[in-house]
Amino acid sequence: MRVLIVEDEPRLAENIARSLRESAGYAVDVAADGQEGWFLAESNTYDVVLLDLMLPQMDGMQLLTRIRQAGQLTPVLVLTARDEKESVVALLNAGADDYLTKPFDLGELLARTKALIRRGKGQPSPVLVIGDLQLNTVNRTVQRSGRTIMLTAMEYRVLEYLAHRPGAVVSKTELLEHLYDYNWEKFSNVIEVYISGLRRKLDNGSDQQLIHTVRGQGYILQD
Ligand code: CA
């Protein structure tokens, strides 16, 4: 998953980014003003946007309006200060999906972010089940037929993304866009390495393959 944080307080932005990277394994991009936020939102595909309200260049409300006018369905969680409460109604009416009042607990922010990502992908339960595969997105554990499977951080990120879109063909480009942040160099062959590692671990001891290749298109996770 890939998250965009638009926040002009550098320390807060960095704390949120670190928490999302370390506790959830998400790729994170940070914009320090509304203009940069719009540039990133327009040129990348995010699974959720965390949006501060008071921003230089373009404020959170203007940026939210642009995102929705551009037809982007990405869930947006607004971070507001206590004295901005009256604008919450206007933000929700403008297409925000949730809000959190500063100062907030990073654990709550993480839980709300995960919930928005799940709902945005039509997967309301935090435990994703595909056949005999169970993926717990809260504690990031994977089991197949009750057997716990140890994955590397990147293998888990690939599997989690696929598991949010069961039965859909997911291209290598889509995986790269959602698993790496702006600063990463992207090589499509790394995805093949993670997929082959996942197959080896997931299918060990099972005669049913879970990750299928659709030639020239991508991968499907299905029973
Ligand atoms: Ca601010």
Side-chain angles (χ1 to χ4, degrees):
M1 302 300 164
R2 186 172 177 188
V3 181
L4 173 62
I5 301 171
V6 190
E7 168 62 66
D8 62 328
E9 289 168 54
R11 278 185 62 184
L12 178 60
E14 200 34 61
N15 282 342
I16 298 172
R18 193 184 322 117
S19 163
L20 293 174
R21 288 188 184 114
E22 289 174 5
S23 310
Y26 295 160
V28 182
D29 292 324
V30 177
D33 62 60
Q35 207 70 267
E36 190 188 0
W38 172 239
F39 169 76
L40 288 172
E42 199 187 19
S43 47
N44 299 292
T45 320
Y46 293 99
D47 298 294
V48 69
V49 176
L50 307 184
L51 182 61
D52 180 30
L53 204 48
M54 294 297 282
L55 290 165
Q57 312 285 351
M58 183 194 300
D59 71 22
M61 185 62 167
Q62 287 174 291
L63 178 51
L64 173 66
T65 306
R66 280 211 187 180
I67 287 172
R68 291 298 178 242
Q69 277 175 351
Q72 291 190 18
L73 305 174
T74 314
V76 175
L77 190 158
V78 176
L79 310 173
T80 72
R82 204 163 286 281
D83 54 1
E84 296 162 349
K85 268 265 176 176
E86 66 278 6
S87 38
V88 163
V89 173
L91 282 159
L92 292 170
N93 285 335
D97 298 273
D98 197 1
Y99 74 95
L100 208 48
T101 307
K102 295 179 185 178
F104 48 77
D105 173 56
L106 280 176
E108 183 177 357
L109 177 70
L110 189 61
R112 284 181 187 269
T113 302
K114 285 187 174 186
L116 280 180
I117 290 174
R118 290 197 302 266
R119 270 186 267 138
K121 301 193 183 303
Q123 300 279 340
S125 167
V127 179
L128 307 174
V129 179
I130 295 102
D132 57 3
L133 181 77
Q134 273 206 5
L135 188 142
N136 185 320
T137 59
V138 176
N139 55 21
R140 291 194 279 166
T141 54
V142 177
Q143 291 195 324
R144 183 153 190 207
S145 300
R147 175 175 65 93
T148 299
I149 298 169
M150 302 303 288
L151 300 177
T152 66
M154 274 312 296
E155 286 169 350
Y156 175 82
R157 284 163 70 171
V158 172
L159 184 64
E160 186 187 67
Y161 191 82
L162 291 174
H164 277 88
R165 307 201 48 210
V169 180
V170 177
S171 69
K172 264 190 264 182
T173 309
E174 181 174 345
L175 284 169
L176 288 168
E177 277 174 0
H178 289 265
L179 300 177
Y180 289 95
D181 60 37
Y182 199 69
N183 297 315
W184 277 76
E185 276 216 61
K186 295 172 184 181
F187 299 105
S188 62
N189 60 336
V190 300
I191 296 295
E192 285 161 30
V193 175
Y194 299 134
I195 293 282
S196 86
L198 275 172
R199 280 196 172 126
R200 189 163 32 80
K201 292 177 181 177
L202 294 178
D203 296 341
N204 181 23
S206 170
D207 49 11
Q208 186 103 40
Q209 200 184 330
L210 284 175
I211 301 176
H212 309 268
T213 303
V214 183
R215 197 179 288 269
Q217 293 185 53
Y219 306 99
I220 298 185
L221 180 66
Q222 67 184 6
D223 196 9

